[in-house]
Amino acid sequence: MALPSPNPTPHEPDIAMWGGVGSGKTAFLASLSVALNRAEGANEGWRIIGADDVSNSELTRLRTNLLEHRIFPRPTDVLTSYNWLVIGPPTRGRRVWWAPWKRHPARAPKITFSFLDGPGGLFGKSEYSVSKEELIKSLVKSRGLIYLFDPDRRGQISDAFKNLDVALREVESQMLGDDKYLDGKLPHYIAVCITKYDEPNILRLAEEYTDHGLELPRVPDDQARDFFREVLARDLDQNAGIIMRLLEASFHESRIKYFVTSSIGMYADPDKGFDPDDPSNIIDVPGQDQKIRGAVHPINIMEPVIWLGRMLYPKTMGRER
Ligand SMILES: Nc1nc2c(ncn2[C@@H]2O[C@H](COP(=O)(O)OP(=O)(O)OP(=O)(O)O)[C@@H](O)[C@H]2O)c(=O)[nH]1
Ligand SMILES: [Mg+2]
């Protein structure tokens, strides 16, 4: 069965992001530019620039804090809008059939990502707020979503659940009321990111899903859903088990992809590399903010963005590899 186009209005193809309080949204944004700069292999050659002055300076500030000051972003207290352009490596120009010795000029895929970075608690509160309204609008308008889930928030599952439940209910009531989406599912592609994989207790929990054959451990994409299910099953909150069902009831199965992510990655000693007995890349300084210990190694940060881009713009970005 053909699914409805995720892109009925091609001029509004932005990606929106949301998640619970402190789930790692702003750190994800900060890490994205680092990740794109460092990408190798199939994803090499991507970069991100601000599409306006504010976004450009925010990008620099977030990156500087992460890389030079080695600190995490402060909690977001106002809704901040970022307009970024992600530019890929140019594809080789195609030959033109009427003059086979000529080629079309090479073209670089360009994707506008409008991220609305809002304070995580928005949906936990039942009352109306302008920020909540704005965030819902961005979820409705976009066709690619990034949902961040913090697996390390014991006792906070109900916040994560409320964030998901309230947001989805509101988006569904705005989008599914008329006959545009007959199958009763939202048209978005959604990248579900299980964050803070570098935390030693999350690394332990993920052990059986982990690929150790790389410089740093990583949960392969085809294991990420099972790992997420395990994280949810371990939580004593009865709402935990509903989170995955809620996601899979609202979106087409083929349009959901799970990623296990870390904005800072594990600590790797410059000489000896990663040590499984000493993985933490965070230093707790008493009375001060946490500091990042060593080099930042973003894990699965650009992948969800590039995946969404490929799904939304298969012509310019090529199919999923
Ligand atoms: N270990 C680890 N901790 C992280 C990571 N990302 C974020 N954190 C921690 O989580 C805290 C919150 O991260 P933020 O990026 O500010 O989260 P947020 O979702 O933007 O939070 P609000 O704006 O308050 O809703 C940070 O201060 C860090 O302590 C990560 O990749 N690894
Ligand atoms: Mg934030």
Side-chain angles (χ1 to χ4, degrees), residues 28-37 45-51 55-56 59 63 82-88 111 113 115 305:
F28 184 100
L29 294 180
S31 174
L32 181 60
S33 66
V34 180
L36 288 170
N37 276 345
W46 288 87
R47 64 195 200 280
I48 183 166
I49 54 173
S55 305
N56 233 344
L59 189 62
R63 192 171 28 200
Y82 300 104
N83 293 300
W84 289 342
L85 210 56
V86 176
I87 304 177
I111 306 124
F113 285 109
F115 282 112
V305 176

Side-chain angles (χ1 to χ4, degrees), residues 19-29 72-77 117-121 148 150 152-153 195-200 261-265 280-282 290 301:
V21 187
S23 54
K25 298 178 293 297
T26 312
F28 184 100
L29 294 180
F72 282 108
R74 301 231 143 259
T76 309
D77 50 13
D117 184 19
L148 300 195
D150 177 355
D152 196 28
R153 297 232 123 188
T195 58
K196 308 186 188 175
Y197 170 55
D198 59 280
E199 287 275 338
T261 71
S262 165
S263 292
I264 56 167
S280 179
N281 204 7
I282 290 183
Q290 285 180 325
I301 296 296

Side-chain angles (χ1 to χ4, degrees), residues 24-237:
K25 298 178 293 297
T26 312
F28 184 100
L29 294 180
S31 174
L32 181 60
S33 66
V34 180
L36 288 170
N37 276 345
R38 300 233 184 107
E40 291 173 354
N43 288 331
E44 190 176 327
W46 288 87
R47 64 195 200 280
I48 183 166
I49 54 173
D52 52 51
D53 289 347
V54 176
S55 305
N56 233 344
S57 59
E58 270 305 294
L59 189 62
T60 312
R61 197 179 62 84
L62 287 171
R63 192 171 28 200
T64 312
N65 274 342
L66 198 65
L67 290 183
E68 287 173 30
H69 305 313
R70 302 191 162 281
I71 49 171
F72 282 108
R74 301 231 143 259
T76 309
D77 50 13
V78 286
L79 197 68
T80 317
S81 176
Y82 300 104
N83 293 300
W84 289 342
L85 210 56
V86 176
I87 304 177
T91 49
R92 216 163 116 79
R94 274 179 299 116
R95 283 192 196 287
V96 291
W97 62 267
W98 64 90
W101 59 91
K102 277 193 192 159
R103 281 182 184 275
H104 283 294
R107 276 184 74 154
K110 265 187 208 154
I111 306 124
T112 311
F113 285 109
S114 303
F115 282 112
L116 218 74
D117 184 19
L122 278 180
F123 294 106
K125 307 183 186 99
S126 47
E127 72 266 20
Y128 171 86
S129 78
V130 176
S131 302
K132 189 159 110 182
E133 193 68 15
E134 282 297 305
L135 194 53
I136 292 287
K137 225 195 274 171
S138 88
L139 299 182
V140 168
K141 218 175 61 171
S142 66
R143 289 299 174 265
L145 300 175
I146 297 180
Y147 173 67
L148 300 195
F149 180 89
D150 177 355
D152 196 28
R153 297 232 123 188
R154 258 166 260 105
Q156 301 252 6
I157 282 282
S158 67
D159 169 68
F161 172 74
K162 240 193 227 161
N163 252 280
L164 186 68
D165 188 44
V166 175
L168 288 182
R169 292 294 81 81
E170 298 207 14
V171 172
E172 284 179 336
S173 87
Q174 289 190 29
M175 296 190 80
L176 302 181
D178 56 23
D179 286 339
K180 202 160 164 196
Y181 301 108
L182 286 171
D183 56 8
K185 301 255 185 188
L186 293 172
H188 307 74
Y189 283 91
I190 177 165
V192 178
C193 298
I194 299 105
T195 58
K196 308 186 188 175
Y197 170 55
D198 59 280
E199 287 275 338
N201 54 336
I202 304 300
L203 272 173
R204 265 194 304 277
L205 189 60
E207 178 59 30
E208 76 171 280
Y209 305 94
T210 297
D211 176 359
H212 290 285
L214 306 159
E215 256 169 72
L216 291 176
R218 181 184 273 257
V219 175
D221 294 350
D222 61 359
Q223 297 289 311
R225 183 177 179 274
D226 286 346
F227 171 58
F228 187 34
R229 204 173 24 196
E230 164 129 17
V231 168
L232 295 172
R234 278 177 174 245
D235 202 282
L236 296 177
D237 191 306

